[in-house]
Each structure stands twice: as C-alpha cells, then as structure tokens.
C-alpha cells in the first residue's frame, strides 16, 4: 500500500473577505470538517463532476486541531455498513484513506493509493476538492491543487503508521461512542432539526437526506441576511417542484429557520403554493431547482 502527499493551498487572499466569525482561512477548513463530523457526514457532499454519483465518507476519529482522517468510498455506502468500512489494509477494500492537515503553515492532503477503489490519486483529489469547495465558496474561499503531486518517501511513514493504528482508533471510537454522542456540539443544532422536519417520501433515504441538507444550507444564508419571504421560500418551492421534498408545516419551517418576523403564515401559504407563478423568471428559484433536479436523478 502506497501513499502520496498532495500539497494544497487556499486561493489567493485577494478574494478573501473577513469572515463574520473572525476565523483565519485555515480555521474555516478545519471547522468545516468538524461540522461535517458533528452532522454525521451530511455537510460535505462528495460527488462526480455532473452530480450524478455520490461517494460516501466516514471519519476514523473526531476531527480537531486542524486534522481530519477519513475513508472515502468509490460509491454510496451506508455509514453503518461495518462489513464495508472495517476492512483491513491488506484486504480488498473499495475505499481510500485520506488525511487532511490544515494549519497556518499550509494545508496538505495525504492520500492513499488504492487502485481497487479509485483509478488514481487525481480522481480522489477532484472528488474531495469539489465537495469541500461547495462549502468553502460560501466563505469566498476555495481549495486548489498545487502544480504537482509530491512523492516523498520520508513522509510516507506518517500514513503507514495511520494504517496500523486505524484499527485501534476504530476500537477506541466504539468504546467511547456514547461519550461522542453526548459531547456538546458548538455547531448549528437547527440542521439536525431540519433533518427531522424536512422529510420526503418522494425519494429514497440517501437522496432525502441530501435534499434536506441542501435545502437548509441554501436557505440559511437568506434568513441570516434578512431577505424577503419570497426569496427565502423560493428554495423550498424549488425542492417541491423538483420532486424531492414535500412541504413541511408552517410551524416546522419556522422552528428550523427562525424567520417568523419575515415569513408569516399567509406568505408561507402563498409562496409555496403550486398555484403561485411568480418564480417564472426568478434566479434564486431556478438555480435551486437545477440543484434539486440533479439530486432527483442522481444514481446511488
């Protein structure tokens, strides 16, 4: 088993705007992986270029201090499929191990070469970079590869050690599972509430989870910047029209989004009604509709 080291850097500071939380650029990436872990791997969506296939991922341990260690599958796999995820390095595995280190000195990916899972390292790079950037772009950031991939034998020992201790980490995780679940989460608890209320019988469970997460992530910034009721509800209406979401009740929507001072019950009924035609030339609606339509036709 071989490992490659692929150095990454965040895009030029010229397009960096002050983060409202006062975070440094490398901290934004670190927080992204911590939030993804807290939200049970639903914040980062790994897919192909055309958004037709989803690649599942799981963490070996809770990301912290700028480091995340994950396994990326070559297809959609349930997170609790132990027969798939718990295979040893010398077994035939359809996933690759990736370590992400994000520090002030720089951001690096340590990527396992496993041709039984992915044809080459570059494929994994594109999949991971695409999924991460869907979130980083909202912060006016992006993660771009360097001009080359370094093959450094002296650093391979780090990942070889990870391959050996990964089983120990898995066991430690299982022993302390209750503690992890009960550990305070300094993240957006409303996202978990959205998963409970924003459900749909129109698509299967993996697509429903993806649609729920996408709906919440696209609507939340509109509420935060106090956009109009029409703008906020255009995302929900797009999901409904794309056939991936059934309309939640007004109270459920408000409990999650907390925008009752912007969206009253009358506006909610009007802007989510199939009879409302005001979204015909509305950009927010059309962009969201395209996204949800891709989820609808995605192959898992």
């Amino acid at each position: 088993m071989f490992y490659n080291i692929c150095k990454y850097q965040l895009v030029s500071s010229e397009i960096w705007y002050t983060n409202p939380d006062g975070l440094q650029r490398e901290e934004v990436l670190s927080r992204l992986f911590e939030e993804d872990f807290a939200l049970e791997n639903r914040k980062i969506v790994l897919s192909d270029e055309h958004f037709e296939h989803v690649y599942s991922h799981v963490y070996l341990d809770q990301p912290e201090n700028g480091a995340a260690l994950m396994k990326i599958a070559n297809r959609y796999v349930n997170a609790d499929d132990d027969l798939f995820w718990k295979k040893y390095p010398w077994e035939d595995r359809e996933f690759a191990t990736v370590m992400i280190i994000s520090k002030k000195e720089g951001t690096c990916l340590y990527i396992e070469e496993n041709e039984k899972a992915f044809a080459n390292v570059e494929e994994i790079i594109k999949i991971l970079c695409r999924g991460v950037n869907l979130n980083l772009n909202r912060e006016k950031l992006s993660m771009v590869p360097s001009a080359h991939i370094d093959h450094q034998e002296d650093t391979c020992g780090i990942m070889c050690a990870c391959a050996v201790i990964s089983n120990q980490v898995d066991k430690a995780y299982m022993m302390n599972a209750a503690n992890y679940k009960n550990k305070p989460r300094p993240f957006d608890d409303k996202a978990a509430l959205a998963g409970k209320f924003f459900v749909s019988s129109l698509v299967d469970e993996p697509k429903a989870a993806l649609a729920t997460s996408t709906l919440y992530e696209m609507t939340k910034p509109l509420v935060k910047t106090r956009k109009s009721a029409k703008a906020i509800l255009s995302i929900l209406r797009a999901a409904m029209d794309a056939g991936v979401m059934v309309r939640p009740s007004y109270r459920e929507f408000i409990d999650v989004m907390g925008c009752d001072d912007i969206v009253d019950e009358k506006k909610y009924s009007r802007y989510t009604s199939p009879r409302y035609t005001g979204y015909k030339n509305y950009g927010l609606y059309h962009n969201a509709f395209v996204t949800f339509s891709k989820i609808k036709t995605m192959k898992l």
Side-chain angles (χ1 to χ4, degrees):
M1 182 169 56
F2 302 95
Y3 288 89
N4 283 282
I5 296 117
C6 180
K7 295 182 178 180
Y8 274 75
Q9 60 185 9
L10 294 173
V11 293
S12 170
S13 58
E14 294 178 2
I15 70 166
W16 167 255
Y17 299 91
T18 302
N19 185 278
D21 297 327
L23 298 175
Q24 298 295 321
R25 284 177 290 172
E26 66 277 357
E27 292 177 304
V28 175
L29 183 61
S30 298
R31 188 183 66 170
L32 172 61
F33 289 109
E34 292 176 8
E35 290 182 343
D36 187 47
F37 176 85
L39 298 175
E40 299 179 348
N41 314 334
R42 293 183 179 179
K43 188 173 182 66
I44 298 176
V45 178
L46 304 180
S47 68
D48 63 354
E49 185 177 2
H50 303 291
F51 214 69
E52 294 177 345
H53 299 277
V54 170
Y55 304 94
S56 296
H57 66 284
V58 297
Y59 292 89
L60 276 75
D61 197 11
Q62 181 174 3
E64 56 185 354
N65 299 324
L69 183 60
M70 67 168 65
K71 298 175 181 178
I72 301 177
N74 59 7
R75 52 188 168 83
Y76 177 82
V77 183
N78 288 324
D80 58 357
D81 187 349
D82 288 345
L83 290 177
F84 180 90
W85 293 113
K86 299 298 183 181
K87 288 188 175 181
Y88 289 84
W90 53 84
E91 296 182 274
D92 290 340
R93 299 172 303 138
E94 295 182 78
F95 61 80
T97 304
V98 177
M99 177 181 282
I100 302 95
I101 304 293
S102 183
K103 297 290 186 181
K104 186 170 289 188
E105 296 78 13
T107 299
C108 293
L109 301 182
Y110 298 81
I111 305 173
E112 174 195 356
E113 283 186 348
N114 181 5
E115 294 181 356
K116 293 183 178 179
F118 296 94
N120 50 60
V121 171
E122 286 78 9
E123 183 179 357
I124 304 174
I125 293 172
K126 291 177 181 178
I127 291 170
L128 183 59
C129 203
R130 188 180 301 115
V132 168
N133 285 340
L134 285 174
N135 291 275
L136 290 182
N137 289 166
R138 301 189 184 105
E139 306 287 351
K140 305 299 182 184
L141 287 172
S142 182
M143 197 164 73
V144 295
S146 302
H148 63 281
I149 297 177
D150 294 332
H151 300 270
Q152 300 179 5
E153 294 181 0
D154 58 336
T155 319
C156 284
I158 297 175
M159 290 311 296
C160 291
C162 288
V164 174
I165 68 172
S166 65
N167 297 313
Q168 299 176 4
V169 174
D170 285 343
K171 292 177 182 178
Y173 178 86
M174 295 301 295
M175 292 174 61
N176 296 283
N179 293 334
Y180 280 115
K181 291 180 180 179
N182 296 326
K183 189 173 182 178
R185 296 179 178 181
F187 306 118
D188 192 349
D189 291 335
K190 295 293 185 181
L193 193 61
K196 177 181 178 181
F197 288 157
F198 299 170
V199 296
S200 177
S201 58
L202 302 176
V203 291
D204 54 29
E205 183 177 349
K207 292 182 181 179
L210 181 56
T212 295
S213 175
T214 302
L215 171 67
Y216 181 73
E217 291 295 334
M218 294 181 73
T219 305
K220 182 173 63 172
L222 302 178
V223 175
K224 187 175 182 180
T225 55
R226 299 189 64 78
K227 297 295 185 182
S228 66
K230 178 179 179 180
I232 292 172
L233 295 172
S234 67
I235 310 301
L236 175 57
R237 174 65 186 277
M240 293 166 55
D241 291 349
V244 297
M245 187 72 58
V246 294
R247 181 172 65 175
S249 70
Y250 171 72
R251 181 43 53 191
E252 289 173 340
F253 185 84
I254 294 302
D255 285 345
V256 173
M257 294 302 175
C259 56
D260 53 333
D261 57 335
I262 305 174
V263 180
D264 57 30
E265 196 161 1
K266 184 177 180 180
K267 290 178 180 177
Y268 184 79
S269 178
R270 178 191 181 195
Y271 290 126
T272 58
S273 171
R275 294 188 296 273
Y276 179 72
T277 59
Y279 292 127
K280 185 175 182 180
N281 298 310
Y282 200 62
L284 276 174
Y285 168 84
H286 284 285
N287 290 338
F289 181 81
V290 170
T291 298
F292 288 118
S293 295
K294 289 180 178 179
I295 294 176
K296 176 75 172 180
T297 58
M298 183 182 297
K299 298 177 181 178
L300 298 178

